[in-house]
């Protein structure tokens, strides 16, 4: 370092950072995230432990677990994702308002886990939804899920109101398409499509 170079104290740098709109806005968002209550299998037990007093998600300002997707901005997909459940997960995701984030908790939500290639299980929720953070483990510990939450916060802190897609007029948030998986999943209102499946698999209609 040259002798005449001005030395800027670390605190001063931090204060300048905190005065930017993005930093204040994103700080507020990380401290008021509302997760959606959502458990699919055993990983949800670890999620409950993370919420309870020992691990205490509340210290991140996230104690309000919402039962409605319209009031939530963080989806924990915690557990085995079955083919029957996927359309409901996508429907709930579509009902969440932007900006929204998805945390895949555990091996099942990340890749199918021990049930990968099972006839009724999908190989990860990221085939159907944009996942922001993956937490490995079967099950992941509550500390690991907390770490995943902190990673979501890091991602939020790196975003800018100037480039965020949900503020752009020309980027309307189209709902994700509803997945239809296999002959065991069908739209009960679409009788014609159902009958085609029945004909294709040769089910006795009588
Ligand atoms: S990852 Fe393991 S603990 Fe979590 S839902 Fe799947 S089987 Fe259960």
């Amino acid at each position: 370092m040259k002798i005449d170079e001005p030395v800027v104290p670390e605190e001063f740098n931090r204060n300048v950072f905190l005065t930017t709109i993005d930093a204040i806005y994103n700080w507020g968002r990380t401290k008021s995230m509302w997760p959606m209550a959502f458990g699919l299998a055993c990983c949800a037990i670890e999620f409950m432990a993370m919420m309870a007093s020992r691990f205490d998600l509340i210290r991140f300002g996230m104690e309000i677990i919402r039962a409605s997707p319209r009031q939530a901005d963080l989806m924990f997909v915690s557990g085995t994702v079955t083919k029957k459940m996927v359309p409901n997960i996508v429907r709930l995701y579509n009902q969440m308002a932007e900006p929204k984030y998805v945390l895949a908790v555990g091996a099942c939500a990340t890749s199918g886990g021990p049930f990968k290639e099972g006839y009724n299980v999908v190989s990860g929720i990221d085939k159907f939804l944009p996942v922001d953070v993956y937490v490995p483990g079967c099950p992941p510990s509550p500390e690991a899920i907390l770490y995943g939450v902190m990673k979501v916060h890091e991602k939020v802190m790196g975003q800018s109101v100037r480039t965020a897609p949900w503020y752009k007029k020309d980027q309307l948030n189209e709902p994700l398409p509803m997945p239809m998986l296999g002959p065991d999943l069908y739209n009960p209102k679409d009788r014609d499509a159902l009958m085609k499946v029945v004909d294709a698999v040769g089910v006795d209609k009588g």
Side-chain angles (χ1 to χ4, degrees):
M1 188 175 70
K2 292 178 192 165
I3 197 73
D4 56 346
E5 191 173 308
V7 178
V8 181
E10 180 61 26
E11 299 77 30
F12 186 70
N13 275 333
R14 214 175 306 133
N15 288 341
V16 171
F17 178 64
L18 277 176
T19 52
T20 64
I21 295 289
D22 280 340
I24 295 170
Y25 172 72
N26 289 337
W27 178 85
R29 290 202 298 134
T30 60
K31 297 294 177 280
S32 58
M33 277 198 153
W34 289 4
M36 186 164 62
F38 199 87
L40 297 171
C42 5
C43 275
I45 302 296
E46 304 301 319
F47 174 81
M48 291 176 215
M50 180 195 66
M51 291 299 305
S53 54
R54 179 166 181 180
F55 299 101
D56 196 13
L57 186 69
I58 294 169
R59 61 204 152 110
F60 294 96
M62 300 171 65
E63 69 268 38
I64 306 180
I65 304 294
R66 305 311 300 177
S68 165
R70 300 188 193 283
Q71 299 170 344
D73 51 6
L74 176 60
M75 176 188 267
F76 288 85
V77 183
S78 47
T80 317
V81 183
T82 60
K83 288 184 181 177
K84 276 199 172 178
M85 202 61 197
V86 165
N88 298 313
I89 298 174
V90 174
R91 184 176 291 118
L92 289 169
Y93 177 83
N94 284 339
Q95 290 174 348
M96 290 167 69
E98 291 280 5
K100 54 190 170 186
Y101 303 88
V102 177
L103 208 155
V105 178
C108 281
T110 299
S111 65
F115 310 110
K116 189 178 174 74
E117 312 298 345
Y119 74 95
N120 61 337
V121 171
V122 302
S123 301
I125 192 61
D126 60 357
K127 309 285 186 300
F128 308 94
L129 298 176
V131 172
D132 296 285
V133 173
Y134 300 83
V135 181
C138 179
S141 64
E143 294 100 324
I145 306 175
L146 274 180
Y147 185 68
V149 170
M150 291 161 74
K151 286 290 169 191
V152 173
H153 288 174
E154 271 180 30
K155 179 166 187 175
V156 171
M157 288 304 290
Q159 292 180 317
S160 169
V161 289
R162 282 163 298 184
T163 56
W166 54 88
Y167 287 126
K168 293 192 173 160
K169 283 185 190 165
D170 56 341
Q171 290 192 25
L172 294 175
N173 298 304
E174 294 292 331
L176 296 176
M178 296 296 294
M180 304 294 283
L181 296 172
D184 53 338
L185 268 191
Y186 59 87
N187 181 355
K189 292 178 185 164
D190 189 352
R191 188 173 185 282
D192 291 340
L194 175 60
M195 294 318 291
K196 276 185 198 161
V197 172
V198 169
D199 288 337
V201 296
V203 177
D204 181 3
K205 292 181 231 172

